[in-house]
Amino acid sequence: MRVRIFPTDQLLARALAADVARAIRRQPALVVGLPTGRTPIPFYRELVALCRGGQIDFSRAITFNLDEFVGLSTDDPSSYHAFMRRHLFDHVNLSRRRTHLLNGTAPDLIHECERYEWAITRAGGIDVQILGLGANGHIGFNEPGRSLIATTHRTRLREASRRANRALFGNRLRAVPREALSMGMGTILHARRVVLIATGATKSRSVARMIQGPVTPRLPASFLQLHRHAEVWLDRAAATRL
Ligand code: GLP
């Protein structure tokens, strides 16, 4: 794993946005995997600024989000659909037809997961997968446990993950769904390049275990050690235990 440490989360966000802009200039129909959470918000802000400044053209780019809650409609303000509109999609020239998210209210969720896998395959696979890191070591919603699931699937959320997401639900833990749909660990590992970003001291323990610990489903992010082109971009606070 290639580790890069930035003095601040802002500088990390700027560097990552510039990196994605370069990649899209080289390959306008780039397929990008996108995360939600607090960590990527400064990165999305930088992408919006680059787009407004004419330095990035998303018109042919394709995106796939990692995950979505089960039971929230696509226009629910707490959904990841709404998060993506708020922080990125409403502010850049990404074509809606080319942005893909899982639908947590699809009538048949197994079919929905299969549809997503097919859509990724049809797009030619993911070129760059950007990832956040759960404080408990999850990526997407691949939660710690005794085993992992390779493909896109329905999953039960850990209490720690529900708590970490409660800000999206007006801090009401009871309103946070108990299940989600998520790309699988295999889906993520199939991406040609993976960039995991983690900022802040609360992530430092998982960061150290992910990079220096054993590969284990108890810390799903540790599976990135098996990827040929996995990069971990950190700010100083997240890197303190390395
Ligand atoms: C959420 C998402 C993950 C994200 C993680 C970290 O639960 N499902 O994809 O990476 O939590 O979130 P944050 O960046 O807010 O710490």
Side-chain angles (χ1 to χ4, degrees):
M1 285 166 127
R2 215 177 125 226
V3 180
R4 291 183 66 179
I5 301 170
F6 294 82
T8 67
D9 57 347
Q10 278 309 319
L11 289 172
L12 185 161
R14 199 164 303 159
L16 185 57
D19 182 296
V20 169
R22 263 194 311 276
I24 290 183
R25 249 174 262 133
R26 268 199 309 269
Q27 189 181 331
L30 195 77
V31 183
V32 191
L34 295 176
T36 49
R38 276 178 299 271
T39 315
I41 291 175
F43 160 61
Y44 291 144
R45 212 178 288 133
E46 292 292 334
L47 284 183
V48 170
L50 288 178
C51 190
R52 289 198 173 135
Q55 288 153 279
I56 186 167
D57 174 14
F58 284 107
S59 59
R60 293 182 56 203
I62 298 170
T63 68
F64 284 92
N65 264 81
L66 277 166
D67 45 17
E68 179 58 287
F69 296 105
V70 165
L72 297 193
S73 73
T74 57
D75 51 12
D76 188 307
S78 301
S79 67
Y80 285 163
H81 276 79
F83 175 98
M84 290 310 298
R85 285 195 296 273
R86 219 165 31 243
H87 293 289
L88 187 67
F89 298 164
D90 283 352
H91 314 289
V92 298
N93 67 331
L94 260 168
S95 140
R96 281 306 146 82
R97 275 188 312 121
R98 296 177 203 263
T99 61
H100 302 268
L101 286 100
L102 284 151
N103 177 2
T105 53
D108 179 344
L109 292 176
I110 292 177
H111 180 261
E112 173 63 5
C113 293
E114 287 168 1
R115 175 195 73 79
Y116 210 60
E117 288 287 328
W118 268 111
I120 294 172
T121 304
R122 254 200 326 272
I126 294 173
D127 293 308
V128 186
Q129 175 67 58
I130 318 277
L131 295 169
L133 175 67
N136 68 359
H138 75 215
I139 49 180
F141 271 132
N142 292 279
E143 294 280 37
R146 272 181 302 198
S147 59
L148 287 167
I149 297 175
T151 54
T152 301
H153 59 283
R154 179 179 187 166
T155 182
R156 215 175 161 68
L157 298 182
R158 293 257 164 185
E159 282 312 297
S161 300
R162 292 185 64 237
R163 276 197 302 277
N165 275 277
R166 79 189 146 188
L168 282 173
F169 296 84
N171 275 324
R172 287 173 308 127
L173 185 58
R174 282 175 54 198
V176 183
R178 296 185 180 278
E179 290 183 296
L181 303 181
S182 175
M183 278 186 196
M185 191 54 68
T187 324
I188 292 167
L189 291 174
H190 268 118
R192 284 181 267 279
R193 177 184 172 210
V194 171
V195 182
L196 181 141
I197 57 174
T199 56
T202 55
K203 300 290 171 71
S204 61
R205 189 179 294 272
S206 287
V207 164
R209 287 177 63 202
M210 164 178 70
I211 296 171
Q212 295 164 338
V215 175
T216 166
R218 304 259 171 226
L219 193 98
S222 64
F223 274 73
L224 297 178
Q225 291 178 27
L226 306 175
H227 195 281
R228 273 176 209 274
H229 297 286
E231 298 165 37
V232 179
W233 292 27
L234 309 169
D235 69 352
R236 277 210 188 107
T240 46
R241 288 174 197 260
L242 292 180

